[in-house]
Amino acid sequence: MVFFAHFRNEIARIGWGGAAALCAGLVLTSCGAQANIAGDAPVTRQLTFVSLNPCVDAILVEIADPDQILALSHYSQDPASSSLDPGVAARFAYTGGTAEEVLAEKPDMVLASSFIAPSLRNALTGLGLRVETFDSPRSIAESIDQIKRLGTLTGNTAAAERLAVRINAIASKQRPKREITAMLWQSGQIVPGEGTLISELLRRNGFSSHSAKMGLAQADFASLETILANPPEVLLVAGDSAGQTHPLLDGLKRTRVETFDPRLLYCGGPSVIAADARIAAIRKNVL
């Protein structure tokens, strides 16, 4: 009687859709789907995953066995926002990020952003699913730590180490002797702060932050007028607002204006390699 009273209260709290998910979760638990990841119990088979985090998607595809990936985030299916090649993303199922969709895949673990809605996280953990969250890395070191953590979770430490070595090589390469001022102009005409992964990549390729010298910090707005009055040597345009596509930018005779793919800005893992390659190519073309 106590159980049914509790279940009636839960229906009132989360609705019938949530209740259906709860029933599915109870069935999964009764079948012992989570027994091999409870506490520190030894893993006897490869775990399976659903990712709700587009940045994790790209690393997971790189280091995990395909059979381990039950679904990626729906963000990776959108070429405008995905850091994955569309052909690669199309090989995998995806979810819209609801508890019902995740449960239908019957994963051993859910990989999410640290910004996951508390209600969704509580629903998933309440149904017996293990949820691991990941921040956006703010440095190469944090990106490498994230890769190794995913390697441990997936049981693919060797593949994770290979990816980590490739990224660590970026931190080890020799910087150009002469620094060049650069401003990264992101979507919405904002600039990155110094404590970001993309800013570290710019520094390692011999660029100094023009926006920092102007007193601008993380996510501060930089108007077209401000840039025209005090232009950097290199302007990396990673947006398409009216200011960022204005013809007046063509009149900056001492500034090299380059486009920069916004998809390379926010994730670690393989995105670091692609972002560094693009920045290095721009740096090579600047006298």
Side-chain angles (χ1 to χ4, degrees):
M1 291 298 290
V2 173
F3 171 80
F4 287 105
H6 173 72
F7 192 69
R8 184 175 62 249
N9 292 336
E10 284 298 287
I11 292 175
R13 183 176 67 86
I14 64 177
W16 284 104
L22 178 62
C23 289
L26 291 172
V27 170
L28 286 177
T29 303
S30 65
C31 292
Q34 304 303 310
N36 66 327
I37 61 171
D40 295 322
V43 176
T44 57
R45 63 174 175 82
Q46 285 191 313
L47 302 183
T48 56
F49 300 85
V50 165
S51 172
L52 305 180
N53 184 325
C55 291
V56 168
D57 289 352
I59 302 173
L60 198 62
V61 166
E62 185 88 9
I63 69 172
D65 292 341
D67 290 345
Q68 292 182 273
I69 306 171
L70 301 181
L72 301 176
S73 72
H74 63 92
Y75 301 103
S76 289
Q77 298 296 317
D78 180 1
S81 62
S82 175
S83 56
L84 281 174
D85 178 270
V88 174
R91 299 173 193 165
F92 300 92
Y94 65 95
T95 75
T98 66
E100 291 87 349
E101 289 175 290
V102 173
L103 284 167
E105 297 292 341
K106 301 181 182 179
D108 292 315
M109 197 180 303
V110 179
L111 307 173
S113 164
S114 57
F115 296 105
I116 184 175
S119 57
L120 175 58
R121 180 169 189 164
N122 291 339
L124 295 173
T125 56
L127 297 171
L129 287 177
R130 178 176 171 183
V131 178
E132 292 286 338
T133 60
F134 295 80
D135 293 319
S136 294
R138 295 168 296 180
S139 65
I140 291 176
E142 286 188 10
S143 179
I144 290 173
D145 287 345
Q146 191 176 82
I147 291 165
K148 291 182 177 180
R149 180 182 167 202
L150 278 165
T152 299
L153 290 173
T154 62
N156 293 280
T157 55
E161 183 61 30
R162 286 193 294 270
L163 178 57
V165 166
R166 291 169 62 198
I167 293 174
N168 194 51
I170 295 170
S172 303
K173 70 181 182 180
Q174 187 174 4
R175 303 186 192 187
K177 291 182 179 180
R178 186 174 80 88
E179 281 196 342
I180 295 173
T181 62
M183 176 182 284
L184 177 60
W185 212 14
Q186 298 175 190
S187 298
Q189 296 185 209
I190 64 173
V191 298
E194 285 295 271
T196 57
L197 176 56
I198 192 66
S199 291
E200 179 182 355
L201 292 176
L202 286 166
R203 287 194 304 273
R204 291 186 179 279
N205 281 282
F207 291 108
S208 61
S209 174
H210 190 67
S211 55
K213 291 175 182 177
M214 295 171 64
L216 299 176
Q218 172 69 19
D220 278 351
F221 179 80
S223 68
L224 172 64
E225 294 77 11
T226 298
I227 293 173
L228 292 175
N230 185 9
E233 293 177 82
V234 175
L235 179 63
L236 307 178
V237 182
D240 57 2
S241 70
Q244 292 171 315
T245 57
H246 201 283
L248 284 174
L249 291 173
D250 296 332
L252 294 174
K253 301 303 183 183
R254 297 183 179 180
T255 297
R256 187 180 187 93
V257 180
E258 295 274 359
T259 59
F260 197 87
D261 192 338
R263 296 178 301 170
L264 302 179
L265 294 177
Y266 306 110
C267 293
S271 292
V272 175
I273 300 170
D276 180 73
R278 174 63 178 141
I279 295 169
I282 293 170
R283 182 63 175 81
K284 186 177 181 179
N285 290 329
V286 179
L287 297 178

